[in-house]
Amino acid sequence: MVSPDGVMFEFPSFTSQKEDKGSSGGDLHRFVESLKSRLPVEYHSRILSSAKSAVKPVWGCKADNINVSPPVDKFIFVHVFKTAGSTMRSFFDHYATLCPSKSYATLTSCTSIEPSSLNTSIWKPCVLKYDRKDGERHNLKQTPVPKENLHSYDMIGGHFRIGLMDHLDDTGSVNPRNRHLVFVRNAAMKYISGKVYIRTKAQRNLTSYDIICEIEEEIKGMIQSQEHHMKYTNYLLTPTQARQRQKESWSYQQRAQVVMQNLIDYNCTIGVVE
């Protein structure tokens, strides 16, 4: 496997889910622990220096790219479903209001973008939901999205895959001038919050008891079939990796490794929803 910046690495071998009747969670835990020793030595020093870079100021309202090397072109919020989306949208929108020299856009419905469309002028099925430029907010609902329109924004957030904005310049390689932000959340709380949101949006007269019963039955079925609920890969695999995963039927552990590799390669600032 090749990481976004060209670093070669191999997947560790695991017993398949159908062969291993034990705890699949234990397998994943052992994998995470072993990852520390599997990472190349240079990654440890790289992570340390990258972490220092990730907390440096990006812009000031009157002074661009202060004390940052390389300069930051865009601040990119990869909004994983049910992880601080409303909070961060409000934050960026408020920043663009206070600092009208900086613009912000919300992009959505973009996780299923096909790699074949990345180098075209139109990104389908992405939707440019709204933006704020020169301090003024515009509700756009623009679909499909002309790629050239995204060049003008300083901050872009929404439901799309990590690495998507690398394709604004048609290279597809990791752009060190893009600063990434990702939030994570307790897995059980994230799962329940997502299910409640989806079910109440689809059928508003459902009671809490109805939703709890549905969640309980779904979890029982997943346990029996030894399935995992792993939606982080909808956002933290690049568009190209997502297509590769489908073709090669990556295991849960393989997907987890690539996600963690991406968080390193894109030097993501990671927040935790409590």
Side-chain angles (χ1 to χ4, degrees):
M1 180 66 194
V2 181
S3 69
D5 61 354
V7 175
M8 297 293 297
F9 60 96
E10 296 181 355
F11 293 128
S13 59
F14 286 89
T15 305
S16 71
Q17 296 297 324
K18 295 189 180 297
E19 293 173 353
D20 182 10
K21 301 302 182 182
S23 169
S24 58
D27 253 2
L28 189 57
H29 174 74
R30 287 190 292 274
F31 157 67
V32 172
E33 289 301 310
S34 70
L35 184 65
K36 298 175 183 178
S37 60
R38 290 179 179 273
L39 283 175
V41 175
E42 63 268 19
Y43 261 78
H44 295 286
S45 58
R46 174 183 167 185
I47 291 171
L48 208 59
S49 62
S50 296
K52 293 178 181 178
S53 170
V55 296
K56 286 183 179 179
V58 178
W59 304 301
C61 283
K62 297 180 180 179
D64 286 352
N65 302 319
I66 50 176
N67 300 322
V68 177
S69 178
V72 173
D73 286 340
K74 296 188 185 303
F75 203 104
I76 299 168
F77 170 47
V78 180
H79 176 200
V80 176
F81 183 56
K82 302 310 294 179
T83 60
S86 298
T87 300
M88 296 312 300
R89 282 195 300 270
S90 296
F91 172 80
F92 287 122
D93 189 65
H94 185 59
Y95 183 90
T97 303
L98 295 177
C99 304
S101 64
K102 298 302 177 186
S103 56
Y104 170 65
T106 291
L107 192 66
T108 189
S109 303
C110 210
T111 57
S112 59
I113 188 170
E114 288 291 331
S116 58
S117 72
L118 292 174
N119 294 327
T120 64
S121 60
I122 299 294
W123 279 359
K124 297 179 180 180
C126 306
V127 177
L128 194 56
K129 196 171 182 180
Y130 70 86
D131 72 4
R132 186 175 291 277
K133 281 187 173 183
D134 299 320
E136 297 294 326
R137 175 169 168 143
H138 312 95
N139 293 316
L140 302 172
K141 298 287 185 177
Q142 183 178 9
T143 179
V145 177
K147 184 169 64 173
E148 63 180 16
N149 288 17
L150 298 175
H151 280 284
S152 61
Y153 297 107
D154 302 292
M155 301 169 288
I156 303 175
H159 294 305
F160 50 81
R161 292 186 177 276
I162 195 169
L164 177 64
M165 299 307 158
D166 292 339
H167 296 270
L168 287 178
D169 58 7
D170 295 332
T171 66
S173 58
V174 177
N175 185 350
R177 296 168 70 100
N178 288 340
R179 178 76 61 83
H180 286 77
L181 172 66
V182 175
F183 272 79
V184 296
R185 186 176 185 180
N186 174 277
M189 295 299 99
K190 178 180 178 301
Y191 176 82
I192 293 171
S193 177
K195 288 296 178 183
V196 170
Y197 174 81
I198 291 171
R199 295 301 290 125
T200 53
K201 187 176 181 180
Q203 192 174 343
R204 296 187 180 277
N205 61 346
L206 282 177
T207 66
S208 298
Y209 179 77
D210 294 331
I211 298 173
I212 291 171
C213 289
E214 287 188 14
I215 291 174
E216 183 178 10
E217 288 303 311
E218 184 170 322
I219 291 175
K220 285 180 180 178
M222 293 173 69
I223 292 173
Q224 289 176 354
S225 60
Q226 296 193 12
E227 295 179 8
H228 290 72
H229 183 83
M230 194 175 182
K231 298 299 185 181
Y232 280 105
T233 54
N234 287 358
Y235 309 92
L236 301 181
L237 294 181
T238 69
T240 303
Q241 290 168 346
R243 172 52 64 90
Q244 186 179 355
R245 176 192 74 80
Q246 292 176 340
K247 289 182 177 179
E248 299 177 4
S249 300
W250 291 355
S251 68
Y252 297 111
Q253 292 88 353
Q254 288 173 323
R255 280 179 263 170
Q257 182 177 12
V258 177
V259 164
M260 287 186 280
Q261 183 80 32
N262 284 343
L263 293 175
I264 293 171
D265 289 330
Y266 284 93
N267 194 26
C268 295
T269 301
I270 301 175
V272 179
V273 178
E274 296 183 354

